[in-house]
PDB file of all heavy atoms in Angstrom:
ATOM      1  N   TYR U   1      -1.888 -34.821  15.156  1.00 98.00           N
ATOM      2  CA  TYR U   1      -2.013 -33.502  14.767  1.00 98.00           C
ATOM      3  C   TYR U   1      -3.534 -33.139  14.502  1.00 98.00           C
ATOM      4  O   TYR U   1      -4.324 -34.024  14.390  1.00 98.00           O
ATOM      5  CB  TYR U   1      -1.257 -32.982  13.488  1.00 98.00           C
ATOM      6  CG  TYR U   1      -1.592 -33.696  12.225  1.00 98.00           C
ATOM      7  CD1 TYR U   1      -2.663 -33.202  11.414  1.00 98.00           C
ATOM      8  CD2 TYR U   1      -0.888 -34.729  11.807  1.00 98.00           C
ATOM      9  CE1 TYR U   1      -3.006 -33.802  10.327  1.00 98.00           C
ATOM     10  CE2 TYR U   1      -1.226 -35.376  10.543  1.00 98.00           C
ATOM     11  CZ  TYR U   1      -2.220 -34.890   9.875  1.00 98.00           C
ATOM     12  OH  TYR U   1      -2.570 -35.583   8.681  1.00 98.00           O
ATOM     13  N   MET U   2      -3.846 -31.833  14.650  1.00 97.00           N
ATOM     14  CA  MET U   2      -5.355 -31.382  14.398  1.00 97.00           C
ATOM     15  C   MET U   2      -5.233 -30.059  13.529  1.00 97.00           C
ATOM     16  O   MET U   2      -4.540 -29.172  13.869  1.00 97.00           O
ATOM     17  CB  MET U   2      -5.888 -31.239  15.769  1.00 97.00           C
ATOM     18  CG  MET U   2      -7.318 -30.768  15.572  1.00 97.00           C
ATOM     19  SD  MET U   2      -8.197 -30.539  17.202  1.00 97.00           S
ATOM     20  CE  MET U   2      -8.604 -32.335  17.506  1.00 97.00           C
ATOM     21  N   THR U   3      -6.113 -29.985  12.601  1.00 95.00           N
ATOM     22  CA  THR U   3      -6.279 -28.761  11.836  1.00 95.00           C
ATOM     23  C   THR U   3      -7.239 -27.793  12.567  1.00 95.00           C
ATOM     24  O   THR U   3      -7.735 -28.121  13.610  1.00 95.00           O
ATOM     25  CB  THR U   3      -6.983 -29.231  10.486  1.00 95.00           C
ATOM     26  OG1 THR U   3      -8.394 -29.520  10.853  1.00 95.00           O
ATOM     27  CG2 THR U   3      -6.366 -30.369   9.720  1.00 95.00           C
ATOM     28  N   SER U   4      -7.114 -26.699  12.071  1.00 93.00           N
ATOM     29  CA  SER U   4      -7.838 -25.487  12.653  1.00 93.00           C
ATOM     30  C   SER U   4      -9.310 -25.866  12.637  1.00 93.00           C
ATOM     31  O   SER U   4     -10.155 -25.332  13.382  1.00 93.00           O
ATOM     32  CB  SER U   4      -7.570 -24.184  11.889  1.00 93.00           C
ATOM     33  OG  SER U   4      -7.906 -24.289  10.588  1.00 93.00           O
ATOM     34  N   GLY U   5      -9.672 -26.661  11.718  1.00 94.00           N
ATOM     35  CA  GLY U   5     -11.181 -27.085  11.475  1.00 94.00           C
ATOM     36  C   GLY U   5     -11.486 -28.249  12.433  1.00 94.00           C
ATOM     37  O   GLY U   5     -12.784 -28.697  12.460  1.00 94.00           O
ATOM     38  N   GLY U   6     -10.616 -28.766  13.165  1.00 94.00           N
ATOM     39  CA  GLY U   6     -10.847 -29.747  14.184  1.00 94.00           C
ATOM     40  C   GLY U   6     -10.710 -31.328  13.742  1.00 94.00           C
ATOM     41  O   GLY U   6     -11.089 -32.253  14.469  1.00 94.00           O
ATOM     42  N   ILE U   7     -10.127 -31.306  12.575  1.00 97.00           N
ATOM     43  CA  ILE U   7      -9.802 -32.778  12.121  1.00 97.00           C
ATOM     44  C   ILE U   7      -8.523 -33.328  12.697  1.00 97.00           C
ATOM     45  O   ILE U   7      -7.555 -32.695  12.615  1.00 97.00           O
ATOM     46  CB  ILE U   7      -9.745 -32.810  10.584  1.00 97.00           C
ATOM     47  CG1 ILE U   7     -11.031 -32.518  10.048  1.00 97.00           C
ATOM     48  CG2 ILE U   7      -9.402 -34.233  10.106  1.00 97.00           C
ATOM     49  CD1 ILE U   7     -11.071 -32.179   8.527  1.00 97.00           C
ATOM     50  N   ALA U   8      -8.575 -34.472  13.273  1.00 98.00           N
ATOM     51  CA  ALA U   8      -7.386 -34.940  14.023  1.00 98.00           C
ATOM     52  C   ALA U   8      -6.946 -36.151  13.269  1.00 98.00           C
ATOM     53  O   ALA U   8      -7.770 -36.963  12.700  1.00 98.00           O
ATOM     54  CB  ALA U   8      -7.806 -35.438  15.429  1.00 98.00           C
ATOM     55  N   HIS U   9      -5.634 -36.354  13.454  1.00 98.00           N
ATOM     56  CA  HIS U   9      -4.936 -37.570  12.882  1.00 98.00           C
ATOM     57  C   HIS U   9      -4.019 -38.086  13.897  1.00 98.00           C
ATOM     58  O   HIS U   9      -3.353 -37.313  14.557  1.00 98.00           O
ATOM     59  CB  HIS U   9      -4.115 -37.264  11.526  1.00 98.00           C
ATOM     60  CG  HIS U   9      -3.428 -38.293  11.002  1.00 98.00           C
ATOM     61  ND1 HIS U   9      -2.168 -38.672  11.366  1.00 98.00           N
ATOM     62  CD2 HIS U   9      -3.806 -39.300   9.960  1.00 98.00           C
ATOM     63  CE1 HIS U   9      -1.690 -39.737  10.625  1.00 98.00           C
ATOM     64  NE2 HIS U   9      -2.820 -40.152   9.972  1.00 98.00           N
ATOM     65  N   TYR U  10      -3.953 -39.440  13.994  1.00 98.00           N
ATOM     66  CA  TYR U  10      -3.126 -40.087  15.022  1.00 98.00           C
ATOM     67  C   TYR U  10      -2.209 -41.146  14.316  1.00 98.00           C
ATOM     68  O   TYR U  10      -2.633 -41.867  13.298  1.00 98.00           O
ATOM     69  CB  TYR U  10      -3.943 -40.880  16.082  1.00 98.00           C
ATOM     70  CG  TYR U  10      -4.748 -39.881  16.793  1.00 98.00           C
ATOM     71  CD1 TYR U  10      -6.089 -39.605  16.579  1.00 98.00           C
ATOM     72  CD2 TYR U  10      -4.195 -39.309  18.032  1.00 98.00           C
ATOM     73  CE1 TYR U  10      -6.894 -38.742  17.280  1.00 98.00           C
ATOM     74  CE2 TYR U  10      -5.102 -38.362  18.874  1.00 98.00           C
ATOM     75  CZ  TYR U  10      -6.410 -38.122  18.383  1.00 98.00           C
ATOM     76  OH  TYR U  10      -7.093 -37.267  19.246  1.00 98.00           O
ATOM     77  N   ALA U  11      -1.026 -41.363  14.895  1.00 98.00           N
ATOM     78  CA  ALA U  11      -0.195 -42.400  14.415  1.00 98.00           C
ATOM     79  C   ALA U  11      -0.917 -43.711  15.039  1.00 98.00           C
ATOM     80  O   ALA U  11      -1.488 -43.656  15.928  1.00 98.00           O
ATOM     81  CB  ALA U  11       1.201 -42.294  15.092  1.00 98.00           C
ATOM     82  N   ASP U  12      -0.550 -44.824  14.120  1.00 98.00           N
ATOM     83  CA  ASP U  12      -1.312 -45.993  14.542  1.00 98.00           C
ATOM     84  C   ASP U  12      -0.947 -46.473  15.900  1.00 98.00           C
ATOM     85  O   ASP U  12      -1.620 -47.094  16.703  1.00 98.00           O
ATOM     86  CB  ASP U  12      -0.951 -47.146  13.607  1.00 98.00           C
ATOM     87  CG  ASP U  12      -1.641 -46.931  12.210  1.00 98.00           C
ATOM     88  OD1 ASP U  12      -2.671 -46.191  12.175  1.00 98.00           O
ATOM     89  OD2 ASP U  12      -1.200 -47.589  11.206  1.00 98.00           O
ATOM     90  N   SER U  13       0.344 -46.250  16.249  1.00 97.00           N
ATOM     91  CA  SER U  13       0.816 -46.645  17.559  1.00 97.00           C
ATOM     92  C   SER U  13       0.276 -45.993  18.720  1.00 97.00           C
ATOM     93  O   SER U  13       0.353 -46.547  19.859  1.00 97.00           O
ATOM     94  CB  SER U  13       2.383 -46.476  17.632  1.00 97.00           C
ATOM     95  OG  SER U  13       2.628 -45.100  17.529  1.00 97.00           O
ATOM     96  N   VAL U  14      -0.522 -44.951  18.621  1.00 98.00           N
ATOM     97  CA  VAL U  14      -1.087 -44.261  19.912  1.00 98.00           C
ATOM     98  C   VAL U  14      -2.588 -44.149  19.667  1.00 98.00           C
ATOM     99  O   VAL U  14      -3.197 -43.645  20.552  1.00 98.00           O
ATOM    100  CB  VAL U  14      -0.442 -42.766  19.881  1.00 98.00           C
ATOM    101  CG1 VAL U  14       0.960 -42.875  19.945  1.00 98.00           C
ATOM    102  CG2 VAL U  14      -0.946 -41.882  18.740  1.00 98.00           C
ATOM    103  N   LYS U  15      -3.275 -44.647  18.663  1.00 98.00           N
ATOM    104  CA  LYS U  15      -4.612 -44.529  18.457  1.00 98.00           C
ATOM    105  C   LYS U  15      -5.348 -45.315  19.573  1.00 98.00           C
ATOM    106  O   LYS U  15      -4.905 -46.367  20.041  1.00 98.00           O
ATOM    107  CB  LYS U  15      -5.114 -45.306  17.172  1.00 98.00           C
ATOM    108  CG  LYS U  15      -4.839 -44.339  15.906  1.00 98.00           C
ATOM    109  CD  LYS U  15      -5.319 -45.051  14.658  1.00 98.00           C
ATOM    110  CE  LYS U  15      -5.105 -44.198  13.444  1.00 98.00           C
ATOM    111  NZ  LYS U  15      -5.452 -44.834  12.052  1.00 98.00           N
ATOM    112  N   GLY U  16      -6.316 -44.681  20.181  1.00 97.00           N
ATOM    113  CA  GLY U  16      -7.061 -45.221  21.288  1.00 97.00           C
ATOM    114  C   GLY U  16      -6.496 -44.948  22.627  1.00 97.00           C
ATOM    115  O   GLY U  16      -7.104 -45.234  23.668  1.00 97.00           O
ATOM    116  N   ARG U  17      -5.229 -44.461  22.638  1.00 98.00           N
ATOM    117  CA  ARG U  17      -4.581 -44.122  23.916  1.00 98.00           C
ATOM    118  C   ARG U  17      -4.254 -42.646  24.083  1.00 98.00           C
ATOM    119  O   ARG U  17      -4.412 -42.125  25.163  1.00 98.00           O
ATOM    120  CB  ARG U  17      -3.286 -44.935  24.042  1.00 98.00           C
ATOM    121  CG  ARG U  17      -3.410 -46.377  23.856  1.00 98.00           C
ATOM    122  CD  ARG U  17      -1.966 -47.057  24.218  1.00 98.00           C
ATOM    123  NE  ARG U  17      -0.991 -46.638  23.241  1.00 98.00           N
ATOM    124  CZ  ARG U  17       0.248 -46.109  23.504  1.00 98.00           C
ATOM    125  NH1 ARG U  17       0.512 -45.813  24.772  1.00 98.00           N
ATOM    126  NH2 ARG U  17       1.156 -45.832  22.637  1.00 98.00           N
ATOM    127  N   PHE U  18      -4.038 -41.949  22.964  1.00 98.00           N
ATOM    128  CA  PHE U  18      -3.749 -40.502  23.012  1.00 98.00           C
ATOM    129  C   PHE U  18      -4.968 -39.764  22.490  1.00 98.00           C
ATOM    130  O   PHE U  18      -5.533 -40.182  21.432  1.00 98.00           O
ATOM    131  CB  PHE U  18      -2.546 -40.169  22.226  1.00 98.00           C
ATOM    132  CG  PHE U  18      -1.145 -40.755  22.834  1.00 98.00           C
ATOM    133  CD1 PHE U  18      -1.101 -41.611  23.927  1.00 98.00           C
ATOM    134  CD2 PHE U  18       0.034 -40.187  22.357  1.00 98.00           C
ATOM    135  CE1 PHE U  18       0.042 -42.142  24.388  1.00 98.00           C
ATOM    136  CE2 PHE U  18       1.197 -40.812  22.743  1.00 98.00           C
ATOM    137  CZ  PHE U  18       1.070 -41.706  23.934  1.00 98.00           C
ATOM    138  N   THR U  19      -5.125 -38.370  22.892  1.00 98.00           N
ATOM    139  CA  THR U  19      -6.162 -37.646  22.493  1.00 98.00           C
ATOM    140  C   THR U  19      -5.638 -36.299  22.292  1.00 98.00           C
ATOM    141  O   THR U  19      -5.100 -35.714  23.395  1.00 98.00           O
ATOM    142  CB  THR U  19      -7.346 -37.620  23.356  1.00 98.00           C
ATOM    143  OG1 THR U  19      -7.978 -38.902  23.591  1.00 98.00           O
ATOM    144  CG2 THR U  19      -8.479 -36.743  22.910  1.00 98.00           C
ATOM    145  N   ILE U  20      -5.691 -35.721  21.200  1.00 98.00           N
ATOM    146  CA  ILE U  20      -5.229 -34.275  20.856  1.00 98.00           C
ATOM    147  C   ILE U  20      -6.392 -33.433  20.943  1.00 98.00           C
ATOM    148  O   ILE U  20      -7.507 -33.780  20.514  1.00 98.00           O
ATOM    149  CB  ILE U  20      -4.409 -34.177  19.617  1.00 98.00           C
ATOM    150  CG1 ILE U  20      -3.805 -32.811  19.381  1.00 98.00           C
ATOM    151  CG2 ILE U  20      -5.375 -34.506  18.331  1.00 98.00           C
ATOM    152  CD1 ILE U  20      -2.928 -32.797  18.237  1.00 98.00           C
ATOM    153  N   SER U  21      -6.085 -32.324  21.567  1.00 98.00           N
ATOM    154  CA  SER U  21      -7.126 -31.126  21.472  1.00 98.00           C
ATOM    155  C   SER U  21      -6.550 -29.805  21.219  1.00 98.00           C
ATOM    156  O   SER U  21      -5.313 -29.704  21.528  1.00 98.00           O
ATOM    157  CB  SER U  21      -7.986 -31.207  22.760  1.00 98.00           C
ATOM    158  OG  SER U  21      -7.125 -30.995  23.883  1.00 98.00           O
ATOM    159  N   ARG U  22      -7.321 -28.849  20.854  1.00 96.00           N
ATOM    160  CA  ARG U  22      -6.667 -27.415  20.624  1.00 96.00           C
ATOM    161  C   ARG U  22      -7.729 -26.427  20.882  1.00 96.00           C
ATOM    162  O   ARG U  22      -8.921 -26.628  20.718  1.00 96.00           O
ATOM    163  CB  ARG U  22      -6.024 -27.332  19.285  1.00 96.00           C
ATOM    164  CG  ARG U  22      -6.962 -27.507  18.090  1.00 96.00           C
ATOM    165  CD  ARG U  22      -6.208 -27.366  16.865  1.00 96.00           C
ATOM    166  NE  ARG U  22      -5.809 -25.979  16.449  1.00 96.00           N
ATOM    167  CZ  ARG U  22      -5.043 -25.518  15.467  1.00 96.00           C
ATOM    168  NH1 ARG U  22      -4.825 -26.490  14.504  1.00 96.00           N
ATOM    169  NH2 ARG U  22      -4.826 -24.297  15.215  1.00 96.00           N
ATOM    170  N   ASP U  23      -7.296 -25.230  21.176  1.00 93.00           N
ATOM    171  CA  ASP U  23      -8.040 -24.119  21.477  1.00 93.00           C
ATOM    172  C   ASP U  23      -7.706 -23.007  20.431  1.00 93.00           C
ATOM    173  O   ASP U  23      -6.609 -22.353  20.601  1.00 93.00           O
ATOM    174  CB  ASP U  23      -8.010 -23.688  22.772  1.00 93.00           C
ATOM    175  CG  ASP U  23      -8.928 -22.445  23.197  1.00 93.00           C
ATOM    176  OD1 ASP U  23      -9.139 -21.684  22.331  1.00 93.00           O
ATOM    177  OD2 ASP U  23      -9.330 -22.447  24.329  1.00 93.00           O
ATOM    178  N   ASN U  24      -8.388 -22.843  19.378  1.00 90.00           N
ATOM    179  CA  ASN U  24      -7.966 -21.913  18.287  1.00 90.00           C
ATOM    180  C   ASN U  24      -7.920 -20.380  18.865  1.00 90.00           C
ATOM    181  O   ASN U  24      -6.971 -19.640  18.482  1.00 90.00           O
ATOM    182  CB  ASN U  24      -8.846 -21.913  17.167  1.00 90.00           C
ATOM    183  CG  ASN U  24      -8.685 -23.226  16.339  1.00 90.00           C
ATOM    184  OD1 ASN U  24      -7.671 -23.911  16.413  1.00 90.00           O
ATOM    185  ND2 ASN U  24      -9.742 -23.483  15.568  1.00 90.00           N
ATOM    186  N   ALA U  25      -8.802 -19.999  19.741  1.00 89.00           N
ATOM    187  CA  ALA U  25      -8.758 -18.630  20.175  1.00 89.00           C
ATOM    188  C   ALA U  25      -7.507 -18.521  21.033  1.00 89.00           C
ATOM    189  O   ALA U  25      -6.947 -17.193  21.149  1.00 89.00           O
ATOM    190  CB  ALA U  25     -10.044 -18.518  21.100  1.00 89.00           C
ATOM    191  N   LYS U  26      -6.974 -19.401  21.746  1.00 90.00           N
ATOM    192  CA  LYS U  26      -5.911 -19.265  22.692  1.00 90.00           C
ATOM    193  C   LYS U  26      -4.523 -19.822  21.920  1.00 90.00           C
ATOM    194  O   LYS U  26      -3.598 -19.579  22.553  1.00 90.00           O
ATOM    195  CB  LYS U  26      -5.996 -20.093  23.945  1.00 90.00           C
ATOM    196  CG  LYS U  26      -7.248 -19.535  24.811  1.00 90.00           C
ATOM    197  CD  LYS U  26      -7.397 -20.349  26.122  1.00 90.00           C
ATOM    198  CE  LYS U  26      -8.458 -19.762  27.006  1.00 90.00           C
ATOM    199  NZ  LYS U  26      -8.537 -20.543  28.239  1.00 90.00           N
ATOM    200  N   ASN U  27      -4.718 -20.294  20.896  1.00 91.00           N
ATOM    201  CA  ASN U  27      -3.479 -20.906  20.162  1.00 91.00           C
ATOM    202  C   ASN U  27      -2.768 -21.846  20.964  1.00 91.00           C
ATOM    203  O   ASN U  27      -1.503 -21.929  21.201  1.00 91.00           O
ATOM    204  CB  ASN U  27      -2.528 -19.736  19.682  1.00 91.00           C
ATOM    205  CG  ASN U  27      -2.756 -19.360  18.292  1.00 91.00           C
ATOM    206  OD1 ASN U  27      -3.469 -19.999  17.554  1.00 91.00           O
ATOM    207  ND2 ASN U  27      -2.213 -18.270  17.939  1.00 91.00           N
ATOM    208  N   THR U  28      -3.583 -22.842  21.590  1.00 94.00           N
ATOM    209  CA  THR U  28      -2.897 -23.816  22.334  1.00 94.00           C
ATOM    210  C   THR U  28      -3.386 -25.232  21.859  1.00 94.00           C
ATOM    211  O   THR U  28      -4.377 -25.461  21.125  1.00 94.00           O
ATOM    212  CB  THR U  28      -3.291 -23.839  23.810  1.00 94.00           C
ATOM    213  OG1 THR U  28      -4.756 -23.900  24.013  1.00 94.00           O
ATOM    214  CG2 THR U  28      -2.938 -22.488  24.431  1.00 94.00           C
ATOM    215  N   VAL U  29      -2.520 -26.244  22.157  1.00 97.00           N
ATOM    216  CA  VAL U  29      -2.723 -27.634  21.676  1.00 97.00           C
ATOM    217  C   VAL U  29      -2.252 -28.506  22.907  1.00 97.00           C
ATOM    218  O   VAL U  29      -1.275 -28.182  23.630  1.00 97.00           O
ATOM    219  CB  VAL U  29      -2.001 -28.004  20.389  1.00 97.00           C
ATOM    220  CG1 VAL U  29      -0.478 -27.910  20.460  1.00 97.00           C
ATOM    221  CG2 VAL U  29      -2.469 -29.376  19.876  1.00 97.00           C
ATOM    222  N   SER U  30      -3.059 -29.511  23.081  1.00 98.00           N
ATOM    223  CA  SER U  30      -2.685 -30.466  24.165  1.00 98.00           C
ATOM    224  C   SER U  30      -2.705 -31.817  23.692  1.00 98.00           C
ATOM    225  O   SER U  30      -3.360 -32.142  22.667  1.00 98.00           O
ATOM    226  CB  SER U  30      -3.694 -30.331  25.412  1.00 98.00           C
ATOM    227  OG  SER U  30      -3.731 -28.948  25.944  1.00 98.00           O
ATOM    228  N   LEU U  31      -2.095 -32.755  24.397  1.00 98.00           N
ATOM    229  CA  LEU U  31      -2.036 -34.046  24.125  1.00 98.00           C
ATOM    230  C   LEU U  31      -2.195 -34.756  25.423  1.00 98.00           C
ATOM    231  O   LEU U  31      -1.289 -34.898  26.284  1.00 98.00           O
ATOM    232  CB  LEU U  31      -0.692 -34.565  23.425  1.00 98.00           C
ATOM    233  CG  LEU U  31      -0.645 -35.970  22.970  1.00 98.00           C
ATOM    234  CD1 LEU U  31      -1.538 -36.084  21.651  1.00 98.00           C
ATOM    235  CD2 LEU U  31       0.874 -36.249  22.543  1.00 98.00           C
ATOM    236  N   GLN U  32      -3.365 -35.462  25.584  1.00 98.00           N
ATOM    237  CA  GLN U  32      -3.647 -36.336  26.660  1.00 98.00           C
ATOM    238  C   GLN U  32      -3.163 -37.800  26.266  1.00 98.00           C
ATOM    239  O   GLN U  32      -3.665 -38.339  25.469  1.00 98.00           O
ATOM    240  CB  GLN U  32      -5.118 -36.322  27.029  1.00 98.00           C
ATOM    241  CG  GLN U  32      -5.481 -37.296  28.199  1.00 98.00           C
ATOM    242  CD  GLN U  32      -4.888 -36.832  29.535  1.00 98.00           C
ATOM    243  OE1 GLN U  32      -4.961 -35.662  29.814  1.00 98.00           O
ATOM    244  NE2 GLN U  32      -4.432 -37.899  30.423  1.00 98.00           N
ATOM    245  N   MET U  33      -2.256 -38.349  27.209  1.00 98.00           N
ATOM    246  CA  MET U  33      -1.601 -39.583  26.845  1.00 98.00           C
ATOM    247  C   MET U  33      -2.059 -40.610  27.998  1.00 98.00           C
ATOM    248  O   MET U  33      -1.643 -40.300  29.107  1.00 98.00           O
ATOM    249  CB  MET U  33      -0.104 -39.537  26.783  1.00 98.00           C
ATOM    250  CG  MET U  33       0.346 -38.387  25.732  1.00 98.00           C
ATOM    251  SD  MET U  33       2.166 -38.363  25.513  1.00 98.00           S
ATOM    252  CE  MET U  33       2.711 -37.674  27.087  1.00 98.00           C
ATOM    253  N   ASN U  34      -2.734 -41.536  27.652  1.00 98.00           N
ATOM    254  CA  ASN U  34      -3.212 -42.712  28.632  1.00 98.00           C
ATOM    255  C   ASN U  34      -2.552 -43.866  28.371  1.00 98.00           C
ATOM    256  O   ASN U  34      -2.012 -44.212  27.138  1.00 98.00           O
ATOM    257  CB  ASN U  34      -4.667 -42.681  28.649  1.00 98.00           C
ATOM    258  CG  ASN U  34      -5.425 -41.444  29.061  1.00 98.00           C
ATOM    259  OD1 ASN U  34      -4.814 -40.802  29.801  1.00 98.00           O
ATOM    260  ND2 ASN U  34      -6.642 -41.207  28.506  1.00 98.00           N
TER     261      ASN U  34
END
């Protein structure tokens, strides 16, 4: 998850593999899973 201020938190099982991003202006959130 990511706060509106840009602070991200990840579950231990996905750290280093998944990346969360969001666009506050568009109210969108994405999850890149590698």
